[in-house]
Amino acid sequence: MSGYSSEERAAPYSLEYRLFLKNANGEYISPFHDIPIYADKNVFHMVVEVPRWTNAKMEISTKDPLNPIKQDVKKGKLRYIANVFPHKGYIWNYGAIPQTWEDPGHKDQHTGCCGDNDPIDVCEIGSKICSRGEVIKVKVLGILAMIDEGETDWKVIAINVDDPDAASYNDISDVRKLKPGYLEATVEWFRKYKVPDGKPENEFAFNAEFKDKEFAIDIIKSTHDHWKALVAKKTDGGGINCMNTTVEDSPFKCSMESAKAIVDTLPPPCESTCVIPTDVDKWFYYQSN
């Protein structure tokens, strides 16, 4: 068990919906800033934003206090990812590594593009369908360099250390061997998932080839360095909200009482009487509640 829990505010699949993270003491924290990047030596924490096979584009809200998970909104409407044939929704558990940041003011030497202003993304390939807001421990296997509308958007490939087959996966070559076609499907998914919305296909550095574990960990470490500068106010974070409860020497650190006051201003947790709108994730919602 990770020791972390979550609390929903307002109804899922609504503009008001927020999912806050709590520590082992039940105190509100930021999944962006307060969960350590490392769970153990060479093991990273991952915050699950989107469970596999679902379509609602949930993400850590980098601009809100305490950075709750909420559904992305485009032109005033809740965002759902179109199915990329022959798949249903996201083809992995999708989320982010905490305490990382792809700096939009830093031009990446490998891609020639600046960061996308978000924590680094993770595709977890294990057998379990995780829950939104779940904090898991992952073993990093490799990384894909996607370029999304001119911005660097790294995609880390990892596996839950508690997966029954985790011991068999130690580098990106093991994914090719044990899950034939999965990496190719990942590239095609990321290449085409925005096309139904009228956008062009995404591009990739390294001719869309996955880099290995060592390379991936170096990239993650560099995004951690950028994050450290962000929370120390040594770089301009623009609209990023750096409110946190644990980062020593951060000018943005607040008390647990202040964190609770932020959450208390929001609608109460959704009870069983909440009306869930009809959408592509309704089945998953009822299966998991």
Side-chain angles (χ1 to χ4, degrees):
M1 297 295 290
S2 68
Y4 298 100
S5 60
S6 61
E7 179 179 304
E8 293 181 314
R9 290 294 177 120
Y13 317 120
S14 69
L15 293 171
E16 298 78 22
Y17 176 77
R18 300 290 186 275
L19 185 146
F20 287 90
L21 272 289
K22 295 179 177 180
N23 62 19
N25 296 321
E27 298 164 319
Y28 297 106
I29 59 171
S30 162
F32 188 0
H33 307 301
D34 289 319
I35 297 174
I37 180 175
Y38 293 105
D40 203 342
K41 184 179 180 181
N42 295 324
V43 176
F44 295 84
H45 279 123
M46 171 186 173
V47 179
V48 177
E49 298 166 310
V50 187
R52 186 191 296 119
W53 309 136
T54 64
N55 298 71
K57 181 69 172 74
M58 298 284 181
E59 59 187 15
I60 291 172
S61 178
T62 59
K63 297 183 178 181
D64 286 358
L66 294 181
N67 315 113
I69 294 174
K70 68 177 185 180
Q71 191 165 353
D72 190 24
V73 176
K74 293 292 184 184
K75 298 181 180 179
K77 294 184 178 181
L78 295 169
R79 186 176 171 198
Y80 294 91
I81 298 300
N83 293 324
V84 177
F85 183 82
H87 308 290
K88 164 70 173 71
Y90 285 72
I91 64 174
W92 347 256
N93 294 302
Y94 191 69
I97 295 178
Q99 296 188 340
T100 63
W101 180 52
E102 295 196 58
D103 185 354
H106 172 76
K107 181 178 286 188
D108 187 274
Q109 62 174 317
H110 305 291
T111 66
C113 299
C114 294
D116 71 348
N117 207 28
D118 284 324
I120 197 166
D121 296 322
V122 190
C123 304
E124 192 281 316
I125 66 169
S127 57
K128 175 188 174 184
I129 297 178
C130 295
S131 300
R132 185 186 313 133
E134 188 173 351
V135 180
I136 62 175
K137 300 173 183 180
V138 298
K139 182 194 302 188
V140 168
L141 304 173
I143 198 166
L144 177 68
M146 190 175 88
I147 300 172
D148 185 352
E149 298 183 36
E151 296 177 332
T152 300
D153 192 1
W154 292 102
K155 306 297 181 184
V156 175
I157 305 300
I159 189 166
N160 190 334
V161 297
D162 293 327
D163 189 89
D165 296 324
S168 300
Y169 291 86
N170 296 293
D171 212 322
I172 199 68
S173 57
D174 295 319
V175 183
R176 282 196 195 89
K177 180 174 65 176
L178 299 172
K179 289 183 179 286
Y182 201 15
L183 295 180
E184 292 81 359
T186 294
V187 171
E188 283 307 292
W189 195 97
F190 279 121
R191 190 190 306 277
K192 296 179 178 179
Y193 81 102
K194 288 187 176 182
V195 172
D197 297 327
K199 294 187 176 181
E201 293 185 352
N202 283 320
E203 299 177 341
F204 304 88
F206 305 115
N207 196 31
E209 290 292 326
F210 288 83
K211 306 300 284 185
D212 65 13
K213 175 179 181 175
E214 182 179 0
F215 186 98
I217 289 177
D218 283 344
I219 294 295
I220 295 168
K221 287 179 177 178
S222 71
T223 62
H224 182 53
D225 289 339
H226 292 310
W227 170 83
K228 287 191 286 188
L230 174 69
V231 291
K233 210 174 181 178
K234 293 180 179 179
T235 189
D236 181 15
I240 297 288
N241 194 302
C242 294
M243 183 180 185
N244 68 84
T245 62
T246 62
V247 184
E248 297 298 331
D249 301 322
S250 170
F252 305 103
K253 185 181 178 183
C254 72
S255 66
M256 291 296 183
E257 292 75 19
S258 296
K260 183 177 184 299
I262 292 290
V263 182
D264 286 345
T265 64
L266 300 174
C270 183
E271 302 295 341
S272 58
T273 54
C274 282
V275 177
I276 308 301
T278 300
D279 54 63
V280 292
D281 283 343
K282 185 175 180 181
W283 179 89
F284 184 84
Y285 177 85
Y286 285 117
Q287 292 296 315
S288 59
N289 285 270

